[in-house]
Amino acid sequence: MSLSFVLGNLFGRALLSFALVWVACWLASRLDWRTALARSRRWYGLLSVAVLTLLGMGSAIVSAGGVR
């Protein structure tokens, strides 16, 4: 596996995780996108992005047979 593949995969998963967190914040803030963006950039939003990204990477590694 090349470094660019790993970094691209990590960046893509982080971007998708941020989108999921933003949608959750958007729904919680009654469809106000400015409030949702502010909430998703707080510490708990960034922490949830990191956790979702790591869970996605871990799931991909386990399902590919990387961990035995």
Side-chain angles (χ1 to χ4, degrees), residues 22-62:
W22 184 82
V23 166
C25 291
W26 182 59
L27 293 173
S29 64
R30 298 185 182 134
L31 306 179
D32 183 17
W33 68 272
R34 288 186 181 115
T35 306
L37 187 62
R39 285 182 179 179
S40 64
R41 291 185 299 162
R42 290 187 182 153
W43 69 269
Y44 50 83
L46 297 176
L47 179 65
S48 59
V49 168
V51 167
L52 282 174
T53 302
L54 291 176
L55 284 174
M57 288 296 285
S59 172
I61 290 171
V62 168

